[in-house]
Amino acid sequence: MGTRNPVTWLGSPTFPEAARTALADTQLRRNLRNATTTIRGRRAQAVGELPDWERLRRAGEAIKDDVLHHLDRYLEQLEAAVTARGGVVHWARDAAEANDIVLRLCGDAREVVKVKSMATQEIGLNEALAAAGVHAVETDLAELIVQLGDDRPSHILVPAIHRNRSEIREIFRAAGLGPASDDPRVLAEAARAHLRRKFLSCEVAVSGANFAVADTGSVVVLESEGNGRMCLTLPRKLITVMGLEKVVPTWQDLEVFLQLLPRSSTAERMNPYTSTWTGVTPGDGPEEFHLVLLDNGRTATLADPVGRQALRCIRCSACLNVCPVYERTGGRSYGSVYPGPIGAILTPQLVDDPHDEQAASLPFASSLCGACFEVCPVRIDIPSVLTHLRARAVEAKGRSAESVAMAAAAWVFASASRYEKAQKLGSLARLFAHDGRISWLPGPGAAWTSSRDAPVPAREPFREWWRKNRG
């Protein structure tokens, strides 16, 4: 076993335990419900404007599948194109290797500015830089709120979705930014004044990437505030950390995702700030450009014919905003950089350790209602992957009370006579009923009734009723 993968947060409890705590936080649930309901409605309206939305989804799915099938070829093409245009490509097998590369490239810099990036969160870059005496300044407003509040993100697109305006004002005040009120304009102005000083003083910037075009070596970042563009253009050196799966073959392929992503994520017809850069250009932008291509469990995920579709994800967060489990528990309950339905299938695969109790609990954080698949712009069949990973987690546990119970159930269902006898025996559960509900069962049944009521069995099984009345 290698070093621990920081894609999950150290010390995080399993999902059921964390969810129980989150459900008791009424303010958190109120904040989440307000935010996700608003985003959900706007997204549905934006998507409904396009008569060919389903064709776009299928096009996105096909492009991503082609990329995953020929990933080696497209990555080599990307490396050659970036190098030909003055950039430098680095390959990182895991988080530790990626952090070492970035730290070495930072040189003597003691402070860097950062564009919002899931990849750098996944590898724990901020913590690695801090350990080496380098302070990373988040420039995305929501990420800045999370950083100043010594908090953790709870949403892919809106990391501070669990905070309301008054909470943000207190965080800014504690950090010395001093906004006079919780008016959104005043809060934004305080953040802007703080960040402007950082943009003009930092020599190094670190970014993630939404996409990279293989045939030209161009890298693409989509954001809504313009702060990312400041990062990408002002510092002398730009370091981009990108997951291997973010490559697309051509600009024509990129066009599909530039339609899918904004409508799915922020419900906008087109993205407010789309920055693209290709290598370096003397006198224009950064003097150095480094692209770190990150594996960190992606190759292992690619080897799973069912689970690999998680690598199609374009980080739009549409699945989070429709998930009833996410809406009630929030993102921090997942204990991972990637929350919600996509996190429930991506995180366990990146961790790649079925004996990690926290990661192995995530595929069970779902009602399997299928809403996540309905909204996914690249048609990731999340429910199928969830059940696939659940089976893997159960298998890894070996023999347990649950597996024995399932084996017994299979033995019963294999025979009509055994099933009929089990039905008669099951009717005895009525002895535990109270006010038409069963709220407590002994033995293995207690696992069910600890979080929900069990249905009361019929007094007379249907087969017996049929024989008496129709047989």
Side-chain angles (χ1 to χ4, degrees):
M1 185 66 64
T3 55
R4 183 185 172 280
N5 193 322
V7 68
T8 54
W9 297 326
L10 186 63
S12 295
T14 60
F15 182 82
E17 185 179 344
R20 199 169 291 117
T21 304
L23 287 169
D25 188 339
T26 54
Q27 181 64 57
L28 170 73
R29 294 172 63 183
R30 192 177 301 118
N31 294 346
L32 285 169
R33 185 174 60 251
N34 291 341
T36 55
T37 301
T38 302
I39 299 173
R40 197 161 56 227
R42 289 177 179 170
R43 177 208 161 271
Q45 186 176 0
V47 166
E49 294 175 351
L50 292 184
D52 62 342
W53 180 252
E54 191 56 30
R55 289 179 61 191
L56 276 172
R57 288 181 75 205
R58 291 187 180 277
E61 176 188 15
I63 294 168
K64 280 290 184 179
D65 282 348
D66 174 65
V67 166
L68 296 178
H69 190 65
H70 303 288
L71 190 57
D72 54 343
R73 170 155 59 87
Y74 288 126
L75 287 173
E76 288 178 358
Q77 188 181 1
L78 175 67
E79 180 182 29
V82 170
T83 304
R85 288 160 177 81
V88 181
V89 175
H90 309 260
W91 297 81
R93 283 170 293 194
D94 55 26
E97 205 163 280
N99 287 331
D100 287 345
I101 292 170
V102 175
L103 190 57
R104 175 168 50 79
L105 292 173
C106 284
D108 297 330
R110 296 296 92 189
E111 191 168 70
V112 301
V113 285
K114 276 189 68 204
V115 187
K116 181 189 171 198
S117 160
M118 300 298 293
T120 58
Q121 289 178 25
E122 176 189 319
I123 61 175
L125 179 63
N126 285 13
E127 293 80 0
L129 291 175
V134 181
H135 177 55
V137 180
E138 295 289 352
T139 62
D140 175 85
L141 179 56
E143 283 290 348
L144 179 66
I145 294 166
V146 169
Q147 184 179 42
L148 294 178
D150 194 22
D151 200 354
R152 282 183 166 152
S154 61
H155 193 277
I156 289 177
L157 187 69
V158 195
I161 196 172
H162 55 290
R163 297 291 192 185
N164 59 32
R165 288 187 298 172
S166 61
E167 290 175 316
I168 294 169
R169 179 192 57 191
E170 292 308 312
I171 290 172
F172 278 12
R173 280 182 176 173
L177 274 61
S181 75
D182 62 1
D183 180 83
R185 187 187 60 79
V186 175
L187 293 173
E189 188 59 37
R192 186 176 295 119
H194 168 72
L195 291 175
R196 283 293 167 90
R197 290 191 292 272
K198 302 298 181 183
F199 289 137
L200 295 172
S201 62
C202 287
E203 291 282 306
V204 179
V206 179
S207 84
N210 291 97
F211 306 100
V213 184
D215 66 349
T216 62
S218 305
V219 183
V220 185
V221 164
L222 280 67
E223 39 114 13
S224 299
E225 301 166 1
N227 291 333
R229 180 163 294 181
M230 302 282 276
C231 276
L232 299 168
T233 53
L234 288 178
R236 191 184 63 78
K237 183 185 292 185
L238 174 59
I239 305 166
T240 297
V241 182
M242 187 189 89
L244 299 178
E245 79 282 11
K246 295 296 184 68
V247 64
V248 296
T250 67
W251 279 81
Q252 191 171 9
D253 298 315
L254 178 65
E255 175 196 344
V256 173
F257 298 107
L258 293 184
Q259 295 178 74
L260 287 172
L261 184 53
R263 289 179 189 266
S264 298
S265 57
T266 54
E268 291 168 302
R269 296 184 178 93
M270 65 179 294
N271 201 63
Y273 291 90
T274 302
S275 300
T276 66
W277 64 98
T278 308
V280 293
T281 302
D284 184 10
E287 298 169 17
E288 290 184 38
F289 168 56
H290 299 266
L291 178 61
V292 182
L293 294 174
L294 176 68
D295 186 324
N296 205 38
R298 287 162 174 78
T299 301
T301 303
L302 193 62
D304 185 335
V306 177
R308 72 174 58 143
Q309 57 183 305
L311 296 178
R312 285 190 215 138
C313 179
I314 57 175
R315 311 288 190 264
C316 70
S317 75
C319 61
L320 278 68
N321 300 325
V322 298
C323 178
V325 175
Y326 174 86
E327 184 175 300
R328 286 158 180 79
T329 63
R332 289 181 296 183
S333 300
Y334 294 79
S336 164
V337 170
Y338 300 106
I342 187 61
I345 63 171
L346 187 58
T347 299
Q349 295 191 91
L350 294 181
V351 171
D352 197 23
D353 179 5
H355 300 289
D356 183 316
E357 289 189 5
Q358 195 275 329
S361 72
L362 295 179
F364 298 89
S366 171
S367 63
L368 298 180
C369 67
C372 47
F373 174 56
E374 295 297 324
V375 299
C376 178
V378 287
R379 292 175 47 82
I380 300 172
D381 189 353
I382 293 177
S384 294
V385 183
L386 285 169
T387 54
H388 170 68
L389 295 177
R390 287 181 183 188
R392 203 160 74 179
V394 170
E395 187 179 347
K397 285 183 180 176
R399 186 171 290 274
S400 64
E402 183 182 15
S403 66
V404 171
M406 289 297 110
W411 179 76
V412 169
F413 288 141
S415 163
S417 63
R418 287 197 290 263
Y419 179 66
E420 193 168 347
K421 289 174 183 173
Q423 275 188 316
K424 290 181 180 177
L425 192 63
S427 64
L428 295 177
R430 294 180 61 83
L431 298 174
F432 299 101
H434 179 69
D435 292 336
R437 297 179 301 173
I438 298 178
S439 302
W440 178 83
L441 283 173
W448 176 278
T449 53
S450 65
S451 56
R452 59 181 78 80
D453 295 333
V456 179
R459 188 180 303 279
E460 182 179 43
F462 176 74
R463 289 164 181 257
E464 198 170 319
W465 176 89
W466 183 268
R467 273 196 293 268
K468 285 181 183 175
N469 298 281
R470 304 290 176 84

